[in-house]
Amino acid sequence: MCGIVGYIGPADSVPILVDGLTRLEYRGYDSAGVAVLQDSRLEIRRHTGRLSNLEASMQQAPLTGSVGIGHTRWATHGAPSEKNAHPHTDSTGRIAVVHNGIIENYQALRNELAARGHRFLSETDTEVIPHLIEDELAAGAASMLEAIRRALARTRGAYALGIVSLDEPETLYAARLGSPLIAGVGDGELYIASDVPAILNRTRQVVYLGDGQIATLRREGLELVDMAGKPVAAEVQTVELEAEAAERAGFETFMLKEIHEQPRVLRTLLNLHLGNGQQDTPEILGFDADYWRSLRRIMAISCGTAYHAAMYGRLLLEGLTGLAVETDLGSEFRYSNRKIDPATLVLAVSQSGETADTLASVRMAHERGCRLLSICNVAGSSLVRESDHVLYTHAGPEIGVASTKAYTAQLMALALLALAVGRVRGDIAPELADEMISDLRAVPDAIHYVLNRAEIIREIAEKHHDGPSSLYLGRRYNFPTALEGALKNKEISYQHAEAYAAGEMKHGPIALINEYLPVICICTRTRDEVYEKTISNVREVEARGGRIIAIATDGDTEVADIAEDTIYVPQTRDEFSPMVNVVALQLLAYYAAQARGTDIDKPRNLAKSVTVE
Ligand code: F6R
C-alpha cells in the first residue's frame, strides 16, 4: 500500500522524508515523490520506480526545506507514472497533497471542478483534493484548516493525507478517515507517517489520529480537530516496538499480519462497491447492461490460489445468474483446444497480474476476439494493461509468499460481481439480492471472530502438526475452500495434504484413512442442502478411525460429537462461508508451519510471482 511521511522542524526535511519512505519500502510501491516548501516556493520531485530514482533526480536538481511531505505510491487509479505519482497540487501550484486511500466520488468531483475551470494533470482520484481545497479557499474559507475541513466533507471514501501550502509555510496538515496515519512528536519537530516504522528511528512519541480528525502541526506542537472543527485532545503514546517488528505491525510474520488484515480488506471492498446502500455500483460490471444481458458464457482462467477463487466464483455466478461458467488453469488452457469465441467473456483472476500462464492464456483468448475482465490486485500489472475492464481487489501489497488476504479479497470481489450481474440480468429477485448483501456485510465481523479464536486453532495445529500427511474435505462452495486449505498447509508447513470433494472420498481416498491421518472436514451450515451429506461423509471417516478436525458452525454439537477437535466459526450464509472458513484453515496451516519451524514468509522453492512458464 502507499506510504506517507511528513516533517516540520529545524532540520532539512528532504533526507528525513527519504529515510522515512525507505523504511516503508517493504510495503511495495511503484513511484515516489516529495514536496518541500523552500524559500517561498513549493518544490516537487517525483519519479517512477525505486526511491533511488527519486534520489538521483534530487541530486540533479537539489532541494531543501524544513517543511515537507513524501509519498510512495502503489497505483490504484491510473497507471504507475510520473504524472500520477504524488504529491499532487491545485491549479495555482500552492497546495500539495499526498494521499493513501480512495476517493470514491472523485469522478463526479472532478467533472464538477473541471466545469469550473480546474485543470487536472493526472488520472488519480487524489488530485481532486488540492483542487477542492483551492475551491473552498476561493469560496471564502477563512483558513487552510477551514478549507481542508470543507473540502473533505465533499469527499466519500477513505484517506490519510499530508498537506502543505505556501499560504501557511510554517504548518503541516494531516487528516485521516479509514486509512492509518500517525503524528510523531519530537523535540521542536513533528512528523506524520502512515505507519510507525517510518519515523521510529526519530521518535517513539506518537499520536494515533482518529477517524475524521484533522491535525495542524507547527514546530511548537500539534492540535487536533474533528470534522465539525471541534478541538479534540491529542493523546501522546510511547511506541514500544522495535523497528523490524513495527514493519510487521508487531506480528511475527507478514503472513500473520496479512491474515489479520482480512476483515479490513473485505470492508474496504464492501464500502467501495456498496457504500451505505444495497445497490452495486455500475463500475463493478465493467461492461454495459446489454452486454451482460446477452452474454451466455464465461471462461475463468487462473493459477494456484487464484484458481480456487475462480472455482468459487463459478459456483456463485452460476447460482446467481443464468450464465454457464467454466474454469481452467492457465497452464492447461493455453495448450488446450477449448472452444472460445467472441461471445465468451474471459475472466482472469490473479493477485499479481504477472503470472505467465494466466497471461499467455488471456492473450490467446483476446486474439480470438473475447472480451477480458480481470480480478487483480496490482494496478499497472501486465494483466491490468491488457484487460478490457479490471475489478481491483484492493488488498494492498501481499508480502507473505502464501496468499491469504488476496484470496479472500478475490472471493469478495467475485461475490459482489455475481450479485451485480444477477441483478442487471434480472436473474436474481431484488429482495433476495438485498438479503444476500446484508449477509455479505456480516462477513468481515465473522472473520474477526475466527481471528479471535487463533489460540484454540494454534493448540489444535500443534497437536496434529507432526504427521506426514493430512486430508481436507468440503463440498459445494467449500470444496474450493478445502483445496485452498490443503494448499496453504503444503506451501508453508511442507506437510503433504490432499483435498477432495467430500462425496468423492469413497471413490478412492478413503483407503488412506487410518487412526493417524488428520482429516479436516468443513461442515458449516446455515440452510446448506449438502450439510447432511457432508456429515455422512464425516461419519465414513469416523467409522474408519480417522482423526477428524471439524470446521463447524457455532452451536453445532452433532459435529463436535463426531470430531476429535472442532473449530467453531460464526454462522454465515452458505454462499459466503468460504471467506470465513478459509481463515480458520489459514491459521491451522500457519501454526502447523510454526510448530514445524519453517520459514513462513518465504517458503522453500516458492516465488511470489510466477513469471515463467
Ligand atoms: C499460493 C499462491 C499461488 C498463486 C499463483 C497465482 O499461496 O499464492 O498459488 O495464487 O501463483 O498467482 P497470481 O494470483 O499472482 O496470478
Side-chain angles (χ1 to χ4, degrees):
M1 219 66 146
C2 311
I4 289 179
V5 186
Y7 175 78
I8 179 164
D12 179 10
S13 62
V14 176
I16 297 170
L17 298 178
V18 172
D19 179 63
L21 294 177
T22 309
R23 291 169 194 277
L24 295 179
E25 273 193 303
Y26 71 93
R27 295 166 65 100
Y29 65 101
D30 45 53
S31 56
V34 296
V36 173
L37 296 177
Q38 180 180 29
D39 307 330
S40 320
R41 290 198 319 273
L42 177 62
E43 288 283 336
I44 294 185
R45 303 282 185 278
R46 302 183 296 189
H47 217 291
T48 51
R50 312 304 299 167
L51 269 168
S52 51
N53 299 347
L54 176 69
E55 286 183 272
S57 80
M58 289 195 294
Q59 265 160 20
Q60 278 170 12
L63 74 169
T64 66
S66 55
V67 183
I69 48 179
H71 191 259
T72 43
R73 173 173 189 254
W74 195 72
T76 54
H77 292 69
S81 65
E82 191 172 324
K83 75 170 185 212
N84 289 333
H86 300 206
H88 291 287
T89 58
D90 66 323
S91 322
T92 65
R94 298 182 68 79
I95 302 166
V97 172
V98 289
H99 168 218
N100 289 356
I102 302 160
I103 302 301
E104 289 161 23
N105 57 337
Y106 83 100
Q107 197 57 57
L109 291 169
R110 197 170 156 124
N111 296 346
E112 180 194 327
L113 291 161
R116 289 215 300 283
H118 289 256
R119 242 186 89 234
F120 290 90
L121 306 175
S122 78
E123 300 154 330
T124 65
D125 53 335
T126 302
E127 200 182 359
V128 296
I129 299 171
H131 284 266
L132 283 172
I133 299 171
E134 177 192 2
D135 200 47
E136 290 296 344
L137 286 169
S143 62
M144 265 298 280
L145 179 61
E146 175 66 10
I148 292 169
R149 213 166 55 72
R150 281 163 48 170
L152 294 181
R154 290 162 69 181
T155 64
R156 197 159 41 77
Y159 49 76
L161 296 169
I163 305 167
V164 291
S165 164
L166 273 179
D167 292 335
E168 294 185 21
E170 301 296 324
T171 314
L172 167 61
Y173 288 98
R176 174 198 163 166
L177 184 74
S179 297
L181 194 65
I182 56 160
V185 183
D187 191 9
E189 51 189 3
L190 290 111
Y191 309 82
I192 59 167
S194 51
D195 216 345
V196 174
I199 56 169
L200 208 52
N201 62 330
R202 306 203 60 96
T203 181
R204 286 178 174 267
Q205 305 299 305
V206 303
V207 175
Y208 291 89
L209 267 70
D211 266 346
Q213 293 182 351
I214 306 174
T216 305
L217 293 86
R218 299 198 178 91
R219 281 194 201 184
E220 18 344 325
L222 162 153
E223 284 168 7
L224 287 180
V225 294
D226 64 15
M227 285 303 278
K230 231 174 79 220
V232 179
E235 191 195 332
V236 181
Q237 300 184 26
T238 306
V239 178
E240 305 289 356
L241 289 178
E242 289 312 313
E244 223 244 327
E247 284 179 9
R248 292 179 260 105
F251 289 100
E252 59 212 12
T253 59
F254 281 108
M255 182 174 173
L256 194 60
K257 173 173 176 259
E258 286 155 9
I259 289 174
H260 281 262
E261 280 172 347
Q262 291 176 108
R264 180 176 58 71
V265 167
L266 299 199
R267 255 183 226 117
T268 303
L269 268 178
L270 283 164
N271 289 340
L272 196 63
H273 292 292
L274 301 177
N276 294 324
Q278 295 287 83
Q279 203 61 47
D280 300 294
T281 52
E283 303 94 78
I284 200 167
L285 293 167
F287 311 110
D288 60 31
D290 286 343
Y291 174 78
W292 285 107
R293 286 190 197 112
S294 58
L295 187 68
R296 295 283 165 268
R297 180 170 178 246
I298 295 180
M299 172 65 74
I301 301 171
S302 46
C303 300
T305 284
Y307 178 69
H308 301 152
M311 288 175 74
Y312 166 79
R314 175 172 74 80
L315 291 168
L316 221 56
L317 278 159
E318 287 190 335
L320 298 177
T321 75
L323 293 167
V325 186
E326 291 163 57
T327 52
D328 208 348
L329 294 161
S331 53
E332 288 296 312
F333 180 87
R334 64 187 293 191
Y335 297 110
S336 71
N337 293 318
R338 299 195 69 162
K339 303 284 171 281
I340 46 166
D341 58 30
T344 307
L345 171 67
V346 172
L347 173 63
V349 185
S350 173
Q351 187 282 130
S352 63
E354 301 295 350
T355 301
D357 285 323
T358 304
L359 283 174
S361 301
V362 300
R363 278 174 194 148
M364 256 171 66
H366 232 179
E367 277 160 20
R368 292 188 204 168
C370 302
R371 294 180 95 177
L372 174 58
L373 168 64
S374 295
I375 294 186
C376 190
N377 197 36
V378 182
S381 60
S382 306
L383 181 63
V384 162
R385 288 201 299 273
E386 298 191 22
S387 299
D388 297 302
H389 181 67
V390 184
L391 183 49
Y392 286 106
T393 37
H394 292 294
E398 197 177 55
I399 293 163
V401 166
S403 189
T404 51
K405 62 176 180 173
Y407 177 67
T408 44
Q410 286 162 353
L411 301 190
M412 180 58 87
L414 284 159
L416 287 163
L417 179 72
L419 280 162
V421 174
R423 256 189 216 272
V424 78
R425 290 171 54 93
D427 291 330
I428 170 169
E431 307 76 50
L432 176 60
D434 288 350
E435 185 191 306
M436 291 186 81
I437 283 172
S438 300
D439 292 341
L440 198 54
R441 286 183 192 280
V443 167
D445 282 347
I447 294 178
H448 222 270
Y449 176 104
V450 176
L451 294 173
N452 282 339
R453 300 216 153 159
E455 270 315 302
I456 297 170
I457 300 174
R458 180 209 287 272
E459 280 168 25
I460 297 173
E462 284 174 356
K463 183 170 151 197
H464 296 276
H465 80 274
D466 55 359
S469 184
S470 57
L471 179 65
Y472 288 67
L473 301 176
R475 289 185 89 126
R476 211 178 177 200
Y477 302 111
N478 280 302
F479 172 40
T481 315
L483 288 164
E484 178 59 10
L487 180 64
K488 286 304 88 137
N489 197 19
K490 284 183 265 211
E491 284 182 291
I492 60 169
S493 81
Y494 314 151
Q495 184 191 45
H496 171 254
E498 276 204 54
Y500 263 84
E504 266 294 291
M505 192 187 53
K506 56 183 156 309
H507 299 288
I510 199 163
L512 293 172
I513 291 170
N514 60 20
E515 64 275 34
Y516 305 111
L517 185 76
V519 186
I520 295 91
C521 303
I522 307 167
C523 25
T524 51
R525 75 178 305 184
T526 43
R527 40 192 144 210
D528 200 339
E529 302 106 67
V530 296
Y531 172 78
E532 295 299 341
K533 312 274 175 212
T534 313
I535 294 297
S536 306
N537 302 138
V538 178
R539 288 208 181 274
E540 289 159 9
V541 178
E542 183 198 22
R544 283 149 190 91
R547 303 184 67 181
I548 297 163
I549 302 168
I551 312 292
T553 303
D554 253 338
D556 186 339
T557 47
E558 184 181 352
V559 173
D561 285 347
I562 316 171
E564 178 176 333
D565 291 297
T566 304
I567 299 170
Y568 279 117
V569 297
Q571 188 168 72
T572 304
R573 191 182 186 98
D574 296 318
E575 289 89 332
F576 307 139
S577 63
M579 286 179 247
V580 178
N581 296 344
V582 79
V583 177
L585 299 186
Q586 291 166 352
L587 287 171
L588 200 59
Y590 183 89
Y591 290 121
Q594 198 179 50
R596 292 165 75 99
T598 62
D599 184 350
I600 292 179
D601 276 339
K602 292 194 196 70
R604 71 183 179 206
N605 307 336
L606 294 180
K608 184 69 188 159
S609 239
V610 186
T611 54
V612 289
E613 194 177 343

